[in-house]
Amino acid sequence: MTGPLKHLIVIEAATVMPGGMAAMLLADHGADVIKVEPRGGAFYAHDLTRKGWDRGKRSVELDIFDDADREQIRALLKTADIFIHSLEEAEAERFGLDAASLERDFPALVTCALTAYGKDAPFYGRPYGESLAAARLGTMVDKGSSHRPGPMYLGHPALHYGQAFLAVISSLSAVRARRMIGAGQQVEASLLDAMFAQSCMNHWWQEDGLSYIKKGDSGALDRFGKVRLVTGMFECADNLFLQIHTGSGGFKPAMDILGFGDRVRKIDGPEMAVPLDDDEYQCARVEIIEAFRAKPRDEWIRLFIEADVAALPVLEPAEILLDEQVEFVGLRIALDDPDFGTIHQAGPAVIFSDTEVAKPKPAPLVGADNADLPALMARPVRKAPAAVKSIGRPLEGLRVVDFSSFFAVGYGGRILNDLGADVIKVETPGGDQMRPLPDVFDAAQRGKRDIVLNLKTPEGLEAARRLVATADVLTHNLRPGKADKLGIGYEAMKAINPKLIYTYLPGYGSRGPKSLNKSFAPLVSGWTGLLYEGGGEGNTPNRSVFGNEDYNNGFLGAAAILMALENRAEKGGVGEYIECPQLHSSLWTTSEHFLDADMKPVYGLRLDREQQGFNALDRIYRATDGWVCICCRSDDRFARLAAAVGRPELPADPRFATAKARSDNDVALRDMLTAFFTDKSKEDAFALLDAARAPAEIVCETAWIDDALWEEWALKSGRVIDERQSMYGHVREIALFNWLGKTPGLAKGSAPRLGEHSVSILTEIGYGEAEIADMLARKIAIQPEDVTGRIAHRLKA
């Protein structure tokens, strides 16, 4: 194995899809992953998704519910660093695989439990299922359908990917903590927390209603109201679709190109700080739709790119693998495949300058490595390192210096900050261009420290150099070449701090034909196929879906930094350059799709035309007064469903006897189930299903998460923070979503004011009072005189 995690052994015994996703991310970057599968595989083992999510692993068949097999699993755990499972708490206790037993029997082991909601949530005990969680938590109405009214099944498995990201981040944080405290621990990642983690920028409460986005359908074209911003999907003259985003000074140029130049003002300073007037609103929210129908897509994109406005085509999943940027960086890989001959996928997502990351091997057949099981169990027992010191949070002692702007990079830093890192945001005197959007800015920057330095002055650059000399990690998303021009490029920073993990998260990459183009969410998501995922088979793309590259690049950036830190520890303290563009994170979160030997897209999962589900047994059904979701693909769940709908003979029918047979006869099952729900209320249908323990939920058709901000359990568990002294006044917002047993995270504080900590940080890095006073007087550094009370802010969508 090669890669930054080549020294880690992972036992993946989860029977839920995020287990495979999380282990794939670890395997892609060098971890030796042993996939422990029930004989014949889990119910989804023969889905096309296996080709992506299980590549690079070994596979052995052991049934965790069988006593003899479980002893062999325990023998594997003695050799392992990370154990990923999806057992319910009672099951884990019964089998001696609960946190206390594992910490006693395997002191070095980090255990990652994948759960539905976590035991401190009111839904504890409800059945696991991405669709079930999305139904219960109101996620199916977060983005409206472009094709019909009512809730929409998540065509993009955002909660699954989010849970996988949280699992990796928490597990690697616990591995880092193990080096300090000399012991492993249990971490937990839930679907509930995956939903919270992907809702921060659109869901907060502020006492005066400040927000950049309207309440309701967060995918609607007018969701930004009078905010001077256009981002969305538009149909062009050739019936093809594109997305644009007018951030970073792109609003006026875009309006000029679209023919509204004489009706739209030019704004000096941050555009989004000045609301649209009524006529500008008419242009940007109403007439713009017809304007786009005047030219074909390629012509529009050329015009926007020439004017430095972010624009990308909306493509089907895997089509992006044919793009020139993907070709240039060598991100498309070819793997041998027993069904297609050859398939083409996106390669490992993170680039490491000094650490080879090998092309992964094709996904194994179920049980492909059974013969190697004795040798795998006989590997050396993993021993916990000697304790160095006691720490409260897993990333205590780490310093991250962030030169980025906008959301994604800052969001990754916010996650690391909650886990104990000292994250210092470095801003220019003009401030981050996202500051005019209070809820988005706070979601990405909450809890950090902030310093303002004018890097265009020798003194400001020298202060930045001194700060970086104290850091473990540097992050930025400046356009290629700009960091070097400012004097904070990799070679310059490496010279003053050889242990530095220099982390670059651009839109497309540091090199290549698209590297200099602007990148904003959700454009890359649409480019990599998410809108077609949400549209459903045979439909045009949906205007928006839950989940996008801002969150995903923040997640991947945090995970990549933790990989690099672990690699640095193994290499004796030597840092390196790492790169993970938004393009790469978006490709990773569509890794269930691929190109066949003829370079044609193949969907690993395909939402049906009605936007109701992937499968008759994982779908929402219309009742007389609403919708009910079921998630019953496995044998045991299907048997309970059959009993609940009055057809207990179905599991014995050869058409439905196995998961694969049921998939092959999906239409027949869908017709039966549609008939069951048609004449029942949602409450009556749910009661029948729940009484038979057939996993189901009534679809919530309101924004549950806005109400959750006021739930006592959410505040008590740390998922919500109440901040009365923020620069915006009284706010409530989403807080913690990474859970570690021995070294828990801690969410505190709102986003910092511009330059709020400049003086204290300059003092820390060796400047005296007179030097600091001089820098402040000459505006080389800035700190407000008063860092209390509210700032002036009036943005409302």
Side-chain angles (χ1 to χ4, degrees), residues 463-519:
R465 287 167 58 88
R466 285 204 208 178
L467 180 58
V468 171
T470 71
D472 296 280
V473 180
L474 179 151
T475 57
H476 78 85
N477 61 352
L478 297 164
R479 284 195 180 181
K482 189 170 182 180
D484 289 313
K485 289 180 181 178
L486 287 172
I488 57 169
Y490 173 57
E491 293 299 333
M493 297 297 96
K494 177 183 177 182
I496 63 173
N497 186 351
K499 72 172 186 177
L500 187 69
I501 305 298
Y502 189 100
T503 310
Y504 186 34
L505 287 83
Y508 307 98
S510 56
R511 300 179 301 118
K514 286 186 170 65
S515 61
L516 294 176
N517 293 358
K518 282 182 179 176
S519 173

Side-chain angles (χ1 to χ4, degrees), residues 230 234 236 242 244 246 250-264 283-284 287-295 300 303-304 309:
V230 171
F234 298 95
C236 304
L242 60 72
I244 67 166
T246 64
F251 185 83
K252 184 63 166 72
M255 294 296 102
D256 289 346
I257 291 168
L258 288 162
F260 303 122
D262 59 337
R263 297 166 62 186
V264 172
C283 296
E287 296 177 28
I288 192 171
I289 298 171
E290 284 301 318
F292 267 104
R293 294 192 172 112
K295 290 182 172 67
W300 281 125
L303 291 170
F304 287 128
V309 176

Side-chain angles (χ1 to χ4, degrees), residues 197-386:
Q198 294 175 85
S199 302
C200 303
M201 69 169 76
N202 291 347
H203 297 278
W204 84 332
W205 174 88
Q206 190 275 340
E207 58 186 320
D208 297 324
L210 292 179
S211 179
Y212 84 111
I213 192 169
K214 291 181 178 180
K215 295 295 183 185
D217 178 2
S218 61
L221 183 61
D222 69 343
R223 63 194 182 278
F224 299 118
K226 292 202 169 183
V227 176
R228 192 169 295 270
L229 173 69
V230 171
T231 178
M233 183 182 75
F234 298 95
E235 187 173 5
C236 304
D238 50 5
N239 302 122
L240 298 176
F241 295 84
L242 60 72
Q243 291 190 102
I244 67 166
H245 192 296
T246 64
S248 192
F251 185 83
K252 184 63 166 72
M255 294 296 102
D256 289 346
I257 291 168
L258 288 162
F260 303 122
D262 59 337
R263 297 166 62 186
V264 172
R265 293 169 289 167
K266 184 180 186 302
I267 304 299
D268 295 324
E271 285 185 327
M272 289 184 287
V274 180
L276 300 172
D277 64 29
D278 290 343
D279 192 49
E280 290 172 328
Y281 180 95
Q282 178 71 16
C283 296
R285 305 288 183 251
V286 181
E287 296 177 28
I288 192 171
I289 298 171
E290 284 301 318
F292 267 104
R293 294 192 172 112
K295 290 182 172 67
R297 181 172 73 184
D298 287 351
E299 184 175 349
W300 281 125
I301 290 177
R302 177 183 60 79
L303 291 170
F304 287 128
I305 297 301
E306 288 175 355
D308 200 25
V309 176
L312 283 171
V314 175
L315 302 180
E316 291 201 60
E319 275 193 276
I320 183 63
L321 293 172
L322 300 172
D323 187 82
E324 58 184 354
Q325 182 67 29
V326 175
E327 292 266 8
F328 182 90
V329 299
L331 194 57
R332 189 180 73 227
I333 60 173
L335 298 178
D336 293 335
D337 184 81
D339 302 311
F340 294 88
T342 300
I343 61 173
H344 303 270
Q345 301 176 327
V350 185
I351 296 170
F352 293 80
S353 63
D354 302 327
T355 303
E356 179 187 0
V357 176
K359 184 175 83 170
K361 295 179 180 179
L365 297 176
V366 175
D369 300 282
N370 285 347
D372 296 331
L373 188 55
L376 295 173
M377 292 189 296
R379 291 195 287 192
V381 173
R382 186 67 86 213
K383 295 182 178 179

Side-chain angles (χ1 to χ4, degrees), residues 526-543:
W527 191 36
T528 53
L530 269 66
L531 301 187
Y532 271 99
E533 285 186 307
E537 186 170 7
N539 294 329
T540 55
N542 211 67
R543 63 178 179 262

Side-chain angles (χ1 to χ4, degrees), residues 406-407 425 427 432 434-446 450 727-728 751-753:
F406 297 103
F407 188 85
K425 181 172 177 61
E427 297 190 69
D432 190 324
M434 202 169 65
R435 276 190 176 271
L437 309 181
D439 29 4
V440 186
F441 186 77
D442 216 68
Q445 308 302 339
R446 179 186 53 68
D450 191 278
M727 58 183 165
Y728 310 113
R753 299 161 194 268

